[in-house]
Amino acid sequence: MGAPLLQLTNVTKTYGAGAAAFAALNGVSFEVAEREVVALVGPSGSGKSTLLNILSCLDQLSSGAYLFQGQDMSALDPRRRALFRRHLLGFVFQDFKLLARMTAAKNVEMPLLYLRVDRGERRRLALQALDLVGLSGKADRRPAELSGGQRQRVAIARALVARPKLILADEPTGNLDRHNSQEVMELFLSLRRDVGATLLYVTHDEHLAAMAGRQLHFEDGRVVGDDAG
Ligand code: ADP
Protein backbone atom coordinates (compact mmCIF):
# COMPACT_ATOMS: atom_id res chain seq x y z
CA MET A 1 0.00 0.00 0.00
CA GLY A 2 1.11 3.60 -0.61
CA ALA A 3 1.22 6.60 1.70
CA PRO A 4 -1.84 7.21 3.89
CA LEU A 5 -4.56 9.15 2.09
CA LEU A 6 -6.31 9.92 5.34
CA GLN A 7 -5.66 9.53 9.05
CA LEU A 8 -8.09 9.86 11.92
CA THR A 9 -6.76 10.15 15.46
CA ASN A 10 -9.03 9.89 18.45
CA VAL A 11 -11.95 11.51 16.63
CA THR A 12 -15.08 12.27 18.63
CA LYS A 13 -18.36 13.76 17.49
CA THR A 14 -20.79 14.84 20.17
CA TYR A 15 -24.33 15.97 19.47
CA GLY A 16 -26.09 18.16 22.01
CA ALA A 17 -24.64 19.51 25.25
CA GLY A 18 -24.69 18.93 28.99
CA ALA A 19 -26.78 16.03 30.24
CA ALA A 20 -28.25 15.55 26.73
CA ALA A 21 -24.79 15.23 25.08
CA PHE A 22 -24.40 12.11 22.98
CA ALA A 23 -21.13 10.84 21.49
CA ALA A 24 -21.91 9.47 18.03
CA LEU A 25 -18.16 8.91 17.56
CA ASN A 26 -16.15 8.14 20.64
CA GLY A 27 -12.41 8.00 19.96
CA VAL A 28 -12.06 6.71 16.40
CA SER A 29 -8.54 6.17 15.04
CA PHE A 30 -7.55 4.57 11.74
CA GLU A 31 -5.60 5.21 8.55
CA VAL A 32 -6.57 4.52 4.98
CA ALA A 33 -3.88 4.16 2.32
CA GLU A 34 -4.10 5.50 -1.22
CA ARG A 35 -6.25 3.21 -3.38
CA GLU A 36 -7.37 1.08 -0.47
CA VAL A 37 -10.95 -0.25 -0.44
CA VAL A 38 -12.67 -0.28 2.95
CA ALA A 39 -16.14 -1.45 3.97
CA LEU A 40 -17.66 0.21 7.05
CA VAL A 41 -19.91 -2.21 8.89
CA GLY A 42 -21.80 -2.23 12.17
CA PRO A 43 -25.29 -1.98 13.61
CA SER A 44 -27.60 0.92 12.92
CA GLY A 45 -26.69 3.87 15.14
CA SER A 46 -23.04 2.84 15.51
CA GLY A 47 -21.75 6.05 13.90
CA LYS A 48 -21.07 5.09 10.27
CA SER A 49 -23.01 7.96 8.67
CA THR A 50 -21.56 10.41 11.17
CA LEU A 51 -18.11 9.25 10.11
CA LEU A 52 -18.93 9.72 6.40
CA ASN A 53 -20.12 13.25 7.17
CA ILE A 54 -16.83 14.03 8.86
CA LEU A 55 -14.71 12.43 6.14
CA SER A 56 -16.59 14.46 3.51
CA CYS A 57 -16.25 17.67 5.56
CA LEU A 58 -20.02 18.12 5.64
CA ASP A 59 -19.73 18.06 9.42
CA GLN A 60 -16.90 18.91 11.78
CA LEU A 61 -15.45 16.70 14.46
CA SER A 62 -15.74 17.68 18.13
CA SER A 63 -12.18 16.63 19.06
CA GLY A 64 -9.29 14.66 17.63
CA ALA A 65 -7.67 15.06 14.22
CA TYR A 66 -8.58 14.32 10.61
CA LEU A 67 -5.69 14.58 8.16
CA PHE A 68 -6.23 14.22 4.41
CA GLN A 69 -3.00 13.95 2.40
CA GLY A 70 -1.33 15.24 5.54
CA GLN A 71 -3.52 18.34 5.76
CA ASP A 72 -5.53 19.09 8.90
CA MET A 73 -9.13 19.16 7.68
CA SER A 74 -10.60 20.49 10.92
CA ALA A 75 -8.71 23.75 10.37
CA LEU A 76 -10.26 24.46 6.95
CA ASP A 77 -12.71 27.31 6.54
CA PRO A 78 -16.06 26.60 4.84
CA ARG A 79 -14.82 27.74 1.43
CA ARG A 80 -11.85 25.38 1.52
CA ARG A 81 -14.07 22.55 2.74
CA ALA A 82 -16.29 23.14 -0.29
CA LEU A 83 -13.23 23.12 -2.56
CA PHE A 84 -12.09 19.85 -1.00
CA ARG A 85 -15.47 18.30 -1.80
CA ARG A 86 -15.43 19.58 -5.36
CA HIS A 87 -11.90 18.57 -6.27
CA LEU A 88 -11.08 15.49 -4.24
CA LEU A 89 -14.32 13.79 -3.24
CA GLY A 90 -17.05 11.77 -4.89
CA PHE A 91 -20.16 10.53 -3.10
CA VAL A 92 -22.70 7.80 -3.89
CA PHE A 93 -25.99 7.80 -1.95
CA GLN A 94 -28.38 4.97 -1.19
CA ASP A 95 -31.25 6.77 -2.92
CA PHE A 96 -29.14 7.91 -5.92
CA LYS A 97 -30.05 11.61 -5.55
CA LEU A 98 -30.33 12.25 -9.27
CA LEU A 99 -32.10 15.35 -10.53
CA ALA A 100 -35.34 14.05 -12.03
CA ARG A 101 -35.72 16.70 -14.71
CA MET A 102 -32.22 16.26 -16.08
CA THR A 103 -30.90 13.60 -18.43
CA ALA A 104 -28.32 11.07 -17.30
CA ALA A 105 -25.57 13.06 -19.03
CA LYS A 106 -26.65 16.34 -17.40
CA ASN A 107 -26.70 14.66 -13.98
CA VAL A 108 -23.19 13.36 -14.54
CA GLU A 109 -22.03 16.81 -15.65
CA MET A 110 -23.06 18.47 -12.37
CA PRO A 111 -19.70 18.20 -10.53
CA LEU A 112 -17.96 19.63 -13.63
CA LEU A 113 -20.30 22.61 -13.64
CA TYR A 114 -19.04 23.50 -10.16
CA LEU A 115 -15.48 23.09 -11.44
CA ARG A 116 -16.29 25.53 -14.29
CA VAL A 117 -15.41 23.05 -17.01
CA ASP A 118 -16.76 24.37 -20.31
CA ARG A 119 -19.84 22.93 -21.90
CA GLY A 120 -18.29 20.84 -24.67
CA GLU A 121 -15.74 19.31 -22.34
CA ARG A 122 -18.46 18.60 -19.75
CA ARG A 123 -20.45 16.65 -22.29
CA ARG A 124 -17.39 14.76 -23.48
CA LEU A 125 -16.33 13.77 -19.94
CA ALA A 126 -19.90 12.84 -18.97
CA LEU A 127 -20.24 10.54 -21.99
CA GLN A 128 -16.89 8.98 -21.15
CA ALA A 129 -18.01 8.37 -17.54
CA LEU A 130 -21.33 6.89 -18.72
CA ASP A 131 -19.41 4.63 -21.04
CA LEU A 132 -17.27 3.44 -18.12
CA VAL A 133 -20.40 2.43 -16.17
CA GLY A 134 -21.89 0.65 -19.19
CA LEU A 135 -24.55 3.24 -20.05
CA SER A 136 -23.28 4.77 -23.26
CA GLY A 137 -26.65 4.38 -24.94
CA LYS A 138 -28.63 6.04 -22.13
CA ALA A 139 -27.03 9.49 -21.96
CA ASP A 140 -30.19 11.36 -22.92
CA ARG A 141 -32.64 9.38 -20.77
CA ARG A 142 -34.12 10.87 -17.63
CA PRO A 143 -33.90 8.95 -14.33
CA ALA A 144 -37.58 7.90 -14.56
CA GLU A 145 -36.75 6.11 -17.82
CA LEU A 146 -34.02 4.03 -16.17
CA SER A 147 -34.08 1.01 -13.83
CA GLY A 148 -32.84 1.27 -10.23
CA GLY A 149 -29.54 -0.38 -11.13
CA GLN A 150 -29.09 1.98 -14.08
CA ARG A 151 -29.86 5.01 -11.90
CA GLN A 152 -27.17 4.01 -9.46
CA ARG A 153 -24.76 3.55 -12.37
CA VAL A 154 -25.51 7.14 -13.41
CA ALA A 155 -24.82 8.24 -9.82
CA ILE A 156 -21.53 6.33 -9.88
CA ALA A 157 -20.60 8.04 -13.17
CA ARG A 158 -21.36 11.38 -11.48
CA ALA A 159 -19.14 10.42 -8.53
CA LEU A 160 -16.19 9.56 -10.77
CA VAL A 161 -16.44 12.18 -13.53
CA ALA A 162 -14.18 14.72 -11.80
CA ARG A 163 -11.62 12.00 -10.97
CA PRO A 164 -11.71 12.35 -7.18
CA LYS A 165 -9.11 10.87 -4.83
CA LEU A 166 -11.71 9.52 -2.42
CA ILE A 167 -15.16 8.11 -3.17
CA LEU A 168 -17.55 7.58 -0.26
CA ALA A 169 -20.75 5.59 -0.50
CA ASP A 170 -23.55 5.21 2.05
CA GLU A 171 -25.24 1.85 1.39
CA PRO A 172 -24.92 2.27 -2.37
CA THR A 173 -26.87 -0.90 -3.08
CA GLY A 174 -29.43 -0.54 -0.28
CA ASN A 175 -32.26 0.18 -2.74
CA LEU A 176 -31.38 -2.57 -5.21
CA ASP A 177 -32.27 -6.25 -5.50
CA ARG A 178 -29.65 -8.92 -4.96
CA HIS A 179 -28.61 -9.31 -8.59
CA ASN A 180 -28.30 -5.56 -9.21
CA SER A 181 -26.51 -5.11 -5.87
CA GLN A 182 -23.78 -7.49 -6.89
CA GLU A 183 -23.33 -5.84 -10.31
CA VAL A 184 -23.38 -2.30 -8.98
CA MET A 185 -20.92 -3.22 -6.21
CA GLU A 186 -18.54 -4.77 -8.72
CA LEU A 187 -18.77 -1.62 -10.80
CA PHE A 188 -18.18 0.56 -7.74
CA LEU A 189 -15.13 -1.49 -6.76
CA SER A 190 -13.71 -1.18 -10.28
CA LEU A 191 -13.28 2.57 -9.66
CA ARG A 192 -10.20 1.76 -7.64
CA ARG A 193 -8.52 0.54 -10.80
CA ASP A 194 -10.23 2.71 -13.42
CA VAL A 195 -10.10 6.02 -11.57
CA GLY A 196 -7.29 5.26 -9.10
CA ALA A 197 -9.61 6.26 -6.28
CA THR A 198 -9.68 5.19 -2.65
CA LEU A 199 -13.10 3.75 -1.78
CA LEU A 200 -15.00 3.68 1.52
CA TYR A 201 -18.52 2.31 1.64
CA VAL A 202 -21.10 1.52 4.27
CA THR A 203 -22.99 -1.73 3.90
CA HIS A 204 -25.16 -3.99 6.04
CA ASP A 205 -24.58 -6.93 3.73
CA GLU A 206 -21.79 -9.28 4.85
CA HIS A 207 -21.25 -10.57 1.34
CA LEU A 208 -20.83 -7.04 -0.07
CA ALA A 209 -18.55 -6.10 2.85
CA ALA A 210 -16.36 -9.12 2.10
CA MET A 211 -15.76 -7.74 -1.41
CA ALA A 212 -13.57 -4.98 0.11
CA GLY A 213 -9.96 -5.65 1.03
CA ARG A 214 -10.66 -4.46 4.56
CA GLN A 215 -13.64 -4.21 6.93
CA LEU A 216 -13.82 -1.67 9.73
CA HIS A 217 -16.39 -2.74 12.33
CA PHE A 218 -18.19 -0.04 14.30
CA GLU A 219 -20.09 -0.32 17.55
CA ASP A 220 -21.27 2.49 19.81
CA GLY A 221 -19.16 5.09 18.02
CA ARG A 222 -15.93 3.08 18.18
CA VAL A 223 -13.93 0.85 15.88
CA VAL A 224 -14.17 -2.61 17.41
CA GLY A 225 -12.57 -4.56 14.58
CA ASP A 226 -10.28 -3.95 11.61
CA ASP A 227 -10.07 -7.02 9.38
CA ALA A 228 -8.27 -7.67 6.15
CA GLY A 229 -9.74 -9.97 3.51
P1 ADP B 1 -25.24 4.68 11.56
O1 ADP B 1 -24.93 5.38 10.28
O2 ADP B 1 -24.20 3.68 11.97
O3 ADP B 1 -26.62 4.08 11.58
P2 ADP B 1 -25.29 7.35 12.65
O4 ADP B 1 -23.93 7.90 12.42
O5 ADP B 1 -26.39 7.77 11.75
O6 ADP B 1 -25.21 5.76 12.73
O7 ADP B 1 -25.76 7.70 14.14
C1 ADP B 1 -24.96 7.46 15.29
C2 ADP B 1 -25.70 7.97 16.50
O8 ADP B 1 -25.70 9.39 16.51
C3 ADP B 1 -27.16 7.53 16.54
O9 ADP B 1 -27.48 7.18 17.88
C4 ADP B 1 -27.89 8.77 16.10
O10 ADP B 1 -29.17 8.82 16.70
C5 ADP B 1 -27.01 9.89 16.59
N1 ADP B 1 -27.10 11.07 15.73
C6 ADP B 1 -26.78 11.14 14.41
N2 ADP B 1 -26.98 12.39 13.92
C7 ADP B 1 -27.45 13.13 14.97
C8 ADP B 1 -27.85 14.50 15.11
N3 ADP B 1 -27.79 15.37 14.10
N4 ADP B 1 -28.27 14.89 16.34
C9 ADP B 1 -28.30 14.02 17.38
N5 ADP B 1 -27.95 12.74 17.31
C10 ADP B 1 -27.52 12.29 16.12
Side-chain angles (χ1 to χ4, degrees):
M1 283 294 167
L5 180 73
L6 59 91
Q7 293 168 285
L8 276 76
T9 310
N10 234 337
V11 167
T12 71
K13 175 67 189 179
T14 305
Y15 292 110
F22 178 80
L25 294 178
N26 200 357
V28 169
S29 302
F30 64 88
E31 284 187 12
V32 176
E34 293 249 11
R35 296 167 67 107
E36 206 175 353
V37 177
V38 184
L40 305 176
V41 296
S44 179
S46 57
K48 305 179 300 296
S49 305
T50 302
L51 179 72
L52 290 186
N53 287 341
I54 285 174
L55 291 176
S56 59
C57 284
L58 284 173
D59 210 347
Q60 285 185 291
L61 45 77
S62 304
S63 68
Y66 169 26
L67 303 186
F68 189 92
Q69 294 182 319
Q71 183 165 28
D72 180 1
M73 302 306 278
S74 59
L76 297 186
D77 61 29
R79 193 183 71 89
R80 285 185 187 277
R81 287 206 298 274
L83 286 174
F84 162 73
R85 283 197 297 275
R86 268 178 222 174
H87 288 272
L88 297 172
L89 191 76
F91 209 104
V92 180
F93 303 91
Q94 179 173 352
D95 59 357
F96 323 134
K97 296 213 189 300
L98 298 176
L99 296 169
R101 284 198 279 185
M102 289 195 181
T103 62
K106 288 284 181 200
N107 270 284
V108 174
E109 285 180 31
M110 287 308 284
L112 303 173
L113 202 62
Y114 292 116
L115 291 171
R116 301 185 185 178
V117 175
D118 76 43
R119 193 183 167 145
E121 183 67 356
R122 284 204 307 269
R123 175 83 182 173
R124 190 182 74 75
L125 291 170
L127 294 182
Q128 203 178 60
L130 284 168
D131 195 29
L132 198 63
V133 301
L135 287 181
S136 23
K138 312 279 186 203
D140 297 315
R141 303 276 179 92
R142 290 193 165 71
E145 301 168 311
L146 299 170
S147 71
Q150 289 171 335
R151 284 180 212 174
Q152 195 59 309
R153 284 169 183 268
V154 173
I156 289 172
R158 180 182 57 191
L160 74 84
V161 73
R163 305 276 151 173
K165 293 292 290 181
L166 174 66
I167 303 181
L168 302 174
D170 198 353
E171 298 208 49
T173 65
N175 281 11
L176 304 178
D177 63 30
R178 186 144 201 98
H179 174 70
N180 274 302
S181 290
Q182 176 77 20
E183 282 194 1
V184 164
M185 189 52 72
E186 281 169 15
L187 173 69
F188 179 72
L189 295 177
S190 73
L191 300 180
R192 173 179 181 268
R193 186 190 64 235
D194 292 341
V195 183
T198 302
L199 309 174
L200 261 82
Y201 63 98
V202 169
T203 182
H204 279 116
D205 183 314
E206 278 179 30
H207 172 70
L208 298 178
M211 291 168 74
R214 179 179 173 198
Q215 294 85 35
L216 277 180
H217 297 264
F218 280 79
E219 249 175 64
D220 297 331
R222 296 173 199 269
V223 176
V224 296
D226 187 347
D227 305 322

